Amino acid sequence: ENTHHAMWEKLNMDLEAHDGLLEVLGKFYGDIYLSQENRLKGAEYLDFVLSEVHGLRIREIQDAKAEGRKVVGSFCVFVPEEITLAADAVHVGLCAGAEAGSELAEQLVPRNTCALIKSFIGFKLAKLCPYIESTDMIVGETTCDGKKKAYEAFNEIAPTYVMEVPQTKSEAARELWKAEVVRYMMEVEKLTGRTITAEKLKQGIKILNNRRRALQRLTSLRAASPAPISGRDALLINQISFYDDPIRFTAKINELCDELEARIKTGEGVAPAGTPRLLLSGCPMAVPNWKLPYVVESSGAVIVGEESCIGTRNSRDLVDESGETLEEMIDAIADRYMKIDCACFTPNHERLDHITALARDLKADGVIHYSLLFCQPYTHESLKVDKTLQAEGIPMLSIETDYSMEDVEQLKTRIEAFVETL
Ligand code: BJ8
């Protein structure tokens, strides 16, 4: 019997269904990750964290709870984690990237809802996610219509605090957002019974900026040719950043970057120089959604960047660290988050500039735009991204898909054809 069974049982999980999920996941991970050649030594950390993502990490979180710390779960990079950390709470991402439970989800949301939403609802209904079951507070947000309405339904099975994210970048929108940051801070103080001081908030800002700096370092090292790390491993690093302790994660990723630097010096890579280099752009790929990177990297290309919230959109901007008072720091946090170029905003020109610049910086030969089926914001923007990249002479392929494996062969055919033209 699995050593974590008693813990999962306490969390009221469906042990049988969960064992089944872990088995499928283990096999999937073996095929997609462990089969890679020339992998980094630092990938041992990734393998370990992933193999224990529902085990040891949950145990740590339970230990933190036993010490009186609270756990906050969120679904969007708009929720300011600095504030959570400043109240000594643990912050985890709850987005899910597997089909398990999706049919159950259709009791609460319409069929034509994106796979990401169906997945987190399905995981809750099927009692498969130890993170959701460990949270003391779940935070939703008003981004796309799909999520906004899903939180209303989700609230009936799991109380959800919702942050109002504005839809434009106007001055009034920024004021609204700042008020929401303050309201979140008060809610976290109420939850934890702790007062957020300037000193604590400064610490939270520093910890998360350091995590972003490590991820920025990884991004810039991927400009090297031959590509020193696979897109799959880089995606996994970004995915793990939402679960692991931020200080440990930062240290491990910096070690991994040291190894990458050494590799780059000796000209070593995961694919020969001259392998077509692709940038992925679009919807976030929540763990264990590795389908597209796997198909791409089995089609004669290598992925050199991810323009998504589980990618550069979450690491590109730092919070200004010069603030000393609580007020200054809250302003700095509000400003930093207002820079997020999510497709839910209108207009959202910055994203087009960011994609072009990233493709150039990473020396990408082409871009694959990825939208989840039924995702209005990103499907719309794929047309604009295509136009922009065309004008810049950068080829783009637009993919719309979900979490099922049914279209893998078809995707492979399209991606291979695209790669041939590069
Ligand atoms: S800041 S990208 S994490 S909202 S895929 S649920 S948009 S229908 S995820 Fe996101 Fe925050 Fe924006 Fe980032 Fe809706 Fe589209 Fe589904 Fe999506």
Side-chain angles (χ1 to χ4, degrees):
E1 198 182 74
N2 192 303
T3 51
H4 301 304
H5 267 176
M7 175 177 71
W8 292 328
E9 195 154 28
K10 257 200 213 142
L11 289 171
N12 194 26
M13 291 170 62
D14 181 336
L15 289 187
E16 207 180 308
H18 185 249
D19 281 349
L21 175 76
L22 289 189
E23 201 184 312
V24 174
L25 244 178
K27 191 179 171 313
F28 199 46
Y29 192 77
D31 290 347
I32 294 183
Y33 280 93
L34 302 178
S35 63
Q36 295 180 97
E37 279 168 29
N38 232 347
R39 223 159 152 237
L40 297 148
K41 204 175 163 298
E44 278 170 18
Y45 160 70
L46 308 180
D47 294 342
F48 181 71
V49 173
L50 199 93
S51 66
E52 286 293 339
V53 72
H54 280 193
L56 286 181
R57 181 60 183 142
I58 295 295
R59 206 164 283 278
E60 278 183 347
I61 289 174
Q62 294 306 321
D63 291 346
K65 281 167 80 94
E67 286 166 18
R69 293 173 67 195
K70 298 290 182 190
V71 180
V72 174
S74 63
F75 304 94
C76 175
V77 299
F78 256 96
V79 180
E81 200 175 330
E82 288 82 358
I83 288 172
T84 320
L85 294 191
D88 286 323
V90 179
H91 197 117
V92 291
L94 296 177
C95 283
E99 248 190 332
S102 287
E103 264 168 46
L104 283 175
E106 287 176 19
Q107 298 169 1
L108 284 182
V109 293
R111 252 193 102 81
N112 57 349
T113 298
C114 87
L116 190 147
I117 295 172
K118 276 191 192 166
S119 183
F120 78 70
I121 292 182
F123 267 78
K124 172 69 191 171
L125 287 172
K127 301 181 177 176
L128 288 172
C129 177
Y131 288 92
I132 290 191
E133 302 310 326
S134 300
T135 50
D136 298 293
M137 178 178 172
I138 297 176
V139 187
E141 78 301 322
T142 60
T143 43
C144 68
D145 287 352
K147 275 184 167 183
K148 206 155 51 190
K149 299 307 285 181
Y151 297 131
E152 272 180 52
F154 196 60
N155 188 47
E156 287 164 25
I157 51 170
T160 305
Y161 172 90
V162 175
M163 287 188 84
E164 187 168 353
V165 175
Q167 312 275 291
T168 72
K169 301 280 170 87
S170 68
E171 210 20 67
R174 196 253 176 214
E175 283 312 304
L176 164 70
W177 176 242
K178 185 185 165 187
E180 283 297 285
V181 172
V182 172
R183 190 169 69 94
Y184 177 64
M185 188 169 101
M186 293 188 316
E187 191 70 19
V188 170
E189 285 186 332
K190 201 164 85 192
L191 173 79
T192 58
R194 306 194 186 195
T195 308
I196 294 176
T197 61
E199 193 194 339
K200 287 298 262 179
L201 191 54
K202 204 178 177 70
Q203 227 173 55
I205 291 172
K206 214 171 225 134
I207 290 171
L208 294 181
N209 272 350
N210 284 340
R211 184 172 75 189
R212 294 178 184 119
R213 285 186 186 103
L215 289 166
Q216 287 174 358
R217 186 175 166 210
L218 172 67
T219 299
S220 62
L221 290 171
R222 292 169 76 194
S225 177
I229 183 171
S230 70
R232 273 165 276 178
D233 276 326
L235 174 64
L236 186 61
I237 290 171
N238 279 286
Q239 290 172 334
I240 284 174
S241 73
F242 289 87
Y243 298 93
D244 204 14
D245 172 76
I247 296 176
R248 173 173 55 207
F249 173 86
T250 303
K252 287 291 178 188
I253 299 314
N254 275 320
E255 268 172 38
L256 193 135
C257 286
D258 293 340
E259 195 188 341
L260 284 179
E261 267 167 12
R263 259 194 178 195
I264 293 168
K265 261 195 208 126
T266 59
E268 211 186 319
V270 288
T275 303
R277 303 162 63 88
L278 294 176
L279 170 67
L280 293 184
S281 168
C283 289
M285 288 175 184
V287 74
N289 179 10
W290 306 309
K291 178 170 89 169
L292 192 59
Y294 179 57
V295 172
V296 171
E297 294 192 331
S298 317
S299 303
V302 64
I303 296 165
V304 294
E306 299 76 26
E307 187 275 332
S308 98
C309 282
I310 303 187
T312 53
R313 196 174 303 120
N314 194 33
S315 57
R316 186 186 54 228
D317 306 305
L318 301 179
V319 175
D320 184 298
E321 287 181 19
S322 64
E324 291 299 333
T325 66
L326 210 51
E327 176 79 16
E328 285 166 349
M329 284 182 240
I330 289 166
D331 269 315
I333 289 172
D335 286 337
R336 183 265 168 199
Y337 283 79
M338 282 304 280
K339 288 188 195 146
I340 299 172
D341 54 351
C342 171
C344 295
F345 279 82
T346 180
N348 190 34
H349 305 302
E350 311 90 285
R351 179 164 172 242
L352 303 175
D353 301 338
H354 285 141
I355 296 173
T356 314
L358 194 60
R360 297 241 181 274
D361 289 349
L362 297 175
K363 305 185 181 69
D365 300 302
V367 173
I368 293 190
H369 193 279
Y370 162 74
S371 311
L372 278 172
L373 270 172
F374 309 121
C375 171
Q376 291 278 351
Y378 284 91
T379 316
H380 262 280
E381 287 203 352
S382 77
L383 302 172
K384 281 193 173 176
V385 175
D386 194 19
K387 231 180 180 171
T388 307
L389 291 175
Q390 230 173 56
E392 296 285 332
I394 304 168
M396 184 190 113
L397 174 70
S398 177
I399 298 280
E400 253 184 274
T401 184
D402 57 15
Y403 293 172
S404 88
M405 291 298 151
E406 278 160 28
D407 61 351
V408 164
E409 283 311 311
Q410 192 202 334
L411 285 176
K412 201 163 165 26
T413 309
R414 287 186 61 203
I415 292 165
E416 278 172 353
F418 178 64
V419 170
E420 295 248 311
T421 65
L422 299 174

